């Protein structure tokens, strides 16, 4: 018997029992679809994270003192403006470095009030964080140097205090200090926004000198910066922490964070989730393979008389083996193809809903096809061998 004839016979047999064929393929379909969908969604998620990183800048970092139970040691480690200037001079790889001080306070305007995080920083802040200005502008270098009493608020704070009105030029009271609104920042959607804490992401930004007047404090909570090259990030952070410890006479009292750590955390989470779902998919594929073997054994029992008749008219063992093996392979490969289509469709739908780039994995699809073929061969061989070894006389007597 030729391969073509054996394949035709296998397809005819599977079409004869359509419901049983479909149910048998179900385990393979679910397993393959899960593998394709998980890999594609995972790749899309990583690409989305990289896009967020590019918005923020992959070379950004934040330096801040570690928390300490010892008050004296904690006071010694407090950052200053002089620290910022020293690091700028000592580290030529640093493109931008600026101070940031944060305090929670109430803002009041026209008998309306709202609480927000008041950030004292420099005119370079908006550019460093890649923040877009929705209305007006961010404060200038001249306003920073002159410690002008100006403030830039975020969109949520503008909505709370001014509603549909125009906030530009309005005067707000911060800790009884009047400040003029000169700008409104658009909502921060970058990955770097996680470094900010506060109720409902409400923030107001003032020149650092103005912040010290408002809160009567000269402390610097953190130093935010960027290197010229991403490759310099680790060495700059290491050098900066060493310089700060030397300046303050401390030992390992400073910590740093950067956007790359977000990616590492996301990668770990993605790997864990992929492993868990991959295990479920593997179990589903195993169950599907066992289902194929069971159905093929049932098929051999049902068709014992047919096998005996074929052998009696000259069919060889390899002909019987080939036909039953092809049936198992067709079941597995067809289930794999349906699973690939379902997995790709599910992944593309999820990517569209999550607004992630749809990234199909060629190796995952290749794995799906290869695994389907392997399942057919592995789980179909034993039933096919049982069919091939039936004695013609015994098979013809079977009722």
């Amino acid at each position: 018997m030729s391969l073509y004839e054996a394949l035709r016979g296998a397809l005819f047999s599977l079409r004869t029992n359509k419901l049983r064929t479909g149910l048998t393929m179900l385990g393979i379909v679910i397993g393959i679809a899960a593998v394709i969908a998980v890999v594609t969604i995972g790749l899309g998620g990583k690409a989305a994270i990289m896009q967020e990183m590019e918005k923020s800048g992959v070379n950004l970092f934040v330096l801040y003192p570690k928390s300490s139970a010892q008050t004296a040691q904690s006071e010694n480690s407090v950052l200053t403006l002089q620290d910022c200037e020293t690091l700028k001079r000592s580290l030529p790889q640093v493109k931008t470095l600026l101070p940031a001080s944060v305090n929670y306070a109430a803002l009041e305007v026209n008998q309306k009030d709202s609480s927000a995080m008041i950030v004292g920083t420099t005119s370079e802040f908006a550019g460093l964080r890649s923040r877009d200005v929705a209305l007006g502008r961010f404060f200038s270098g001249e306003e920073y140097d002159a410690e002008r009493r100006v403030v830039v608020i975020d969109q949520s704070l503008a909505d709370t205090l001014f509603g549909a009105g125009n906030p530009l030029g309005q005067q707000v009271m911060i800790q009884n200090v009047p400040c003029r609104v000169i700008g409104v920042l658009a909502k921060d959607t970058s990955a770097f926004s996680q470094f900010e804490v506060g109720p409902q992401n409400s923030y107001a930004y003032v020149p650092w000198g103005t912040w010290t007047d408002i809160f009567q404090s000269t402390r610097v909570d953190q130093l935010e910066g960027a290197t010229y090259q991403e490759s310099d990030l680790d060495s700059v952070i290491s050098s900066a922490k060493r310089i700060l410890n030397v300046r303050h006479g401390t030992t390992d009292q400073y910590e740093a964070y950067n956007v790359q750590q977000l990616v590492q955390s996301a990668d770990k989470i993605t790997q864990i989730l992929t492993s868990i779902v991959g295990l479920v998919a593997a179990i589903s594929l195993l169950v599907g393979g066992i289902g194929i073997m069971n159905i093929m054994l049932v098929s051999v029992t049902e068709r014992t008389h047919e096998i005996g008749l074929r052998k009696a008219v000259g069919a060889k063992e390899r002909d019987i083996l080939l036909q039953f093996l092809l049936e198992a392979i067709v079941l597995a490969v067809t289930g794999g193809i349906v699973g690939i289509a379902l997995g790709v469709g599910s992944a593309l739908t999820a990517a569209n809903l999550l607004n992630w780039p749809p990234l199909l994995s060629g190796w995952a699809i290749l794995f799906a096809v290869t695994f389907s073929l392997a399942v057919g061969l592995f789980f179909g061989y034993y039933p096919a061998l049982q069919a091939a070894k039936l004695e013609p006389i015994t098979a013809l007597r079977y009722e």
Side-chain angles (χ1 to χ4, degrees):
M1 177 187 292
S2 67
L3 180 62
Y4 175 73
E5 291 175 342
L7 182 59
R8 285 186 59 188
L11 292 173
F12 176 79
S13 176
L14 294 175
R15 285 198 302 268
T16 304
N17 299 282
K18 294 179 182 178
L19 179 59
R20 187 169 71 183
T21 299
L23 293 175
T24 304
M25 292 189 303
L26 192 57
I28 301 295
V29 170
I30 294 173
I32 294 298
V35 170
I36 299 294
V38 167
V39 172
T40 302
I41 292 173
L43 290 174
K46 288 183 180 180
I49 292 171
M50 289 304 298
Q51 287 180 354
E52 290 300 316
M53 283 182 62
E54 290 174 359
K55 287 181 185 178
S56 304
V58 294
N59 55 346
L60 296 182
F61 64 92
V62 171
L63 289 165
Y64 53 93
K66 290 182 178 179
S67 299
S68 175
Q70 302 175 13
T71 306
Q73 187 179 24
S74 179
E75 289 176 355
N76 288 340
S77 63
V78 172
L79 295 168
T80 65
L81 286 184
Q82 289 70 33
D83 291 329
C84 185
E85 296 303 319
T86 298
L87 292 178
K88 285 182 181 179
R89 291 193 301 267
S90 304
L91 302 171
Q93 305 96 322
V94 172
K95 179 181 179 181
T96 305
L97 190 66
L98 54 85
S101 300
V102 186
N103 217 348
Y104 189 57
L107 293 86
E108 184 179 351
V109 56
N110 299 330
Q111 296 183 339
K112 285 186 178 180
D113 63 82
S114 180
S115 297
M117 300 300 290
I118 313 301
V119 181
T121 186
T122 74
S123 58
E124 298 173 294
F125 178 86
L128 177 68
R129 291 287 194 92
S130 300
R131 295 298 302 273
D132 295 325
V133 179
L135 291 173
R137 58 180 176 82
F138 205 77
F139 56 82
S140 65
E142 291 77 11
E143 288 167 326
Y144 169 78
D145 293 334
E147 300 181 6
R148 295 282 176 79
R149 292 184 174 181
V150 293
V151 61
V152 178
I153 59 178
D154 67 10
Q155 188 66 59
S156 63
L157 194 55
D159 294 339
T160 301
L161 292 177
F162 301 99
N166 185 4
L168 298 182
Q170 299 288 334
Q171 182 173 280
V172 299
M173 302 295 293
I174 307 175
Q175 297 280 85
N176 297 319
V177 175
C179 294
R180 181 171 56 90
V181 178
I182 61 170
V184 177
L185 292 184
K187 183 175 176 58
D188 186 4
T189 58
S190 71
F192 213 61
S193 63
Q194 77 157 5
F195 293 124
E196 297 178 338
V197 292
Q200 302 178 351
N201 282 337
S202 294
Y203 284 83
Y205 304 89
V206 298
W208 189 82
T210 304
W211 187 93
T212 62
D213 289 341
I214 294 173
F215 297 104
Q216 297 299 300
S217 173
T218 58
R219 79 174 193 272
V220 174
D221 292 322
Q222 61 191 34
L223 298 176
E224 302 188 14
T227 58
Y228 286 101
Q229 297 181 4
E230 181 186 353
S231 57
D232 292 330
L233 196 56
D234 290 338
S235 62
V236 163
I237 289 175
S238 178
S239 298
K241 289 194 289 187
R242 184 175 64 253
I243 292 170
L244 290 174
N245 280 308
V246 170
R247 279 182 54 81
H248 291 268
T250 57
T251 303
D252 192 26
Q253 281 300 303
Y254 297 93
E255 192 56 84
Y257 205 89
N258 61 76
V259 178
Q260 290 178 347
Q261 290 172 270
L262 295 178
V263 178
Q264 294 173 358
S265 299
D267 279 343
K268 288 180 181 178
I269 294 172
T270 304
Q271 288 172 5
I272 292 172
L273 292 177
T274 302
S275 299
I276 293 173
V277 180
L279 179 60
V280 174
I283 294 173
S284 178
L285 288 170
L286 179 62
V287 171
I290 294 173
I292 289 176
M293 184 169 66
N294 287 338
I295 292 300
M296 293 307 300
L297 286 172
V298 170
S299 180
V300 170
T301 303
E302 289 179 347
R303 296 159 64 186
T304 299
H305 192 78
E306 173 196 332
I307 294 168
L309 184 61
R310 289 186 60 191
K311 280 197 168 186
V313 296
K316 299 178 181 179
E317 284 190 5
R318 67 170 179 269
D319 297 328
I320 305 298
L321 178 68
L322 180 61
Q323 180 175 348
F324 279 86
L325 192 58
L326 280 176
E327 288 184 22
I329 291 173
V330 169
L331 275 173
V333 172
T334 304
I337 293 172
V338 175
I340 290 171
L342 182 61
V344 170
S346 301
L348 294 179
T349 301
N352 184 56
L353 292 175
L354 295 170
N355 198 25
W356 285 354
L359 298 177
L360 296 177
S361 172
W363 70 262
I365 295 175
L366 179 62
F367 165 79
V369 174
T370 305
F371 193 89
S372 299
L373 183 60
V375 165
L377 286 170
F378 182 80
F379 289 99
Y381 182 76
Y382 178 74
L385 186 63
Q386 293 295 103
K389 288 187 175 299
L390 283 175
E391 293 293 334
I393 295 178
T394 304
L396 287 171
R397 290 176 178 175
Y398 183 83
E399 296 293 336

